[in-house]
Amino acid sequence: MDRRTLLGGVAAGTALLAAPHVVRAQATITLNGASQFNDEHVFTRAMSRFADLVKQYYGRPVNFVMHNNSALGLEKQYFEYMSAGRAVDYAIVSPAHMSTFSRAAPFIDAPFLFRGLDHWNAVLDNDMFSPIAEEIDRRARVKLIGWAGGGVRNIFSSKSASNMAELRGLRIRVQGAPIWSRTFQAVGMAPQVIAYNEVYNAIQNGVIEAGENEAAGVEQMRFFEVGSNLLMTQHAITVRPLCFSTQTFSRLPRELQAAIVQAGKEAGAFGRQTESSEDSQKIAALEAAGRLRRIAFTERPAMQTAVEPVMAAYAREIDAERIFARINAQNA
């Protein structure tokens, strides 16, 4: 090898070391997702749709790696990882896990917030939670790029009830967030906070008479065995944001960023449509199998009216009055 060739090779190697971005630009980008569930769960399917759409809109190779079945922990950990910009780049996470960064985050998933599925869809399609999303992006460095969810929560009970009077005094398990106890008390029930995995035994032993959940939870936890009456109160509809790490996002090419934003919105809509339709199918299947009895609730508007003062006070407490006003004004 002559001296000129040797010097040329050294110069080329030095240039590559001085400009590592050139090497990175040629490498295929890998994005890591996480789910607590298996491939068949609607959350995992929504994230799979997200990956497919990103590839379609970006038009260049991108590797998506899904870590299912809680391989990387639970949703709370996923959010922490995304906030730190490591391990997890995207995941579907309950708003409850965002409250450290935004007092208003749990409002996204509050009971008695929506009048029904049409109202719920209209609120999400019109991006009414964008002020909360902006705060979470700013403070937690996590973007909410899509709105999934769609499980309609009803009351499973050991006793039948079809109106407000028959609900009065019902001992029911509720989630730990104070707004759940406040609203259920306003309706006239006697809410109690009990660990989720203790609900079955608590009803079986007469400690409580009822709980509340979407159809998937009633089926998975076999709550129909101790609470075979499904009171169709439709008191809550789940909202599950599709999240993406802001730190990861900022490092990506602009074309890929645009694809992620577009795909996130569409994948969230897919998740909502899928979960809400499967929710009603699960109820129908359980009823057809004789495992539960669907009880029509005749005073849903009266229930909504009873909780309005409580919801308004809660909105003031967490600085979400404007959002609440817009939601109430939304026609469905």
Side-chain angles (χ1 to χ4, degrees), residues 3-36:
R3 187 169 183 274
R4 182 179 300 177
T5 303
L6 177 61
L7 290 175
V10 171
T14 303
L16 284 174
L17 289 173
H21 63 277
V22 173
V23 177
R24 285 200 299 268
Q26 295 173 350
T28 301
I29 294 168
T30 297
L31 298 173
N32 288 278
S35 173
Q36 296 179 177

Side-chain angles (χ1 to χ4, degrees), residues 55-208:
K55 292 175 184 177
Q56 175 186 330
Y57 296 141
Y58 185 45
R60 302 174 193 174
V62 184
N63 289 332
F64 285 88
V65 180
M66 275 298 302
H67 304 272
N68 296 339
N69 298 307
S70 301
L72 295 181
L74 303 177
E75 289 180 10
K76 184 177 186 296
Q77 283 76 50
Y78 306 160
F79 194 79
E80 292 170 352
Y81 291 148
M82 286 185 285
S83 181
R86 62 185 178 88
V88 176
D89 299 306
Y90 64 97
I92 290 177
V93 176
S94 169
H97 302 309
M98 307 173 190
S99 59
T100 301
F101 302 96
S102 171
R103 293 178 65 211
F107 191 68
I108 294 172
D109 210 31
F112 302 102
L113 187 59
F114 307 109
R115 296 189 293 271
L117 277 170
D118 289 342
H119 182 228
W120 168 79
N121 264 313
V123 168
L124 295 178
D125 285 341
N126 285 286
D127 211 15
M128 291 189 182
F129 293 121
S130 59
I132 300 175
E134 290 166 5
E135 181 181 25
I136 291 169
D137 188 5
R138 185 175 66 255
R139 299 188 62 194
R141 296 175 298 179
V142 175
K143 294 183 179 296
L144 309 189
I145 59 172
W147 304 105
V152 180
R153 298 178 79 93
N154 295 291
I155 295 173
F156 55 91
S157 175
S158 60
K159 56 190 290 188
S160 177
S162 61
N163 54 53
M164 297 275 281
E166 292 174 349
L167 278 182
R168 186 162 298 280
L170 184 72
R171 301 192 308 279
I172 181 170
R173 182 266 180 184
V174 296
Q175 301 177 46
I179 187 59
W180 286 82
S181 292
R182 295 177 197 173
T183 51
F184 277 65
Q185 285 172 347
V187 172
M189 290 179 273
Q192 299 182 35
V193 176
I194 294 175
Y196 185 62
N197 60 357
E198 296 176 5
V199 172
Y200 187 105
N201 288 337
I203 297 177
Q204 189 175 47
N205 296 328
V207 176
I208 55 175

Side-chain angles (χ1 to χ4, degrees), residues 240-276:
R240 294 293 179 264
L242 173 57
C243 306
F244 199 95
S245 169
T246 300
Q247 293 192 62
T248 299
F249 188 87
S250 66
R251 296 193 293 264
L252 300 176
R254 289 184 181 179
E255 296 85 355
L256 182 52
Q257 291 178 347
I260 286 168
V261 170
Q262 183 177 357
K265 185 174 182 179
E266 294 181 19
F270 166 81
R272 299 204 309 269
Q273 171 61 32
T274 303
E275 185 167 357
S276 59

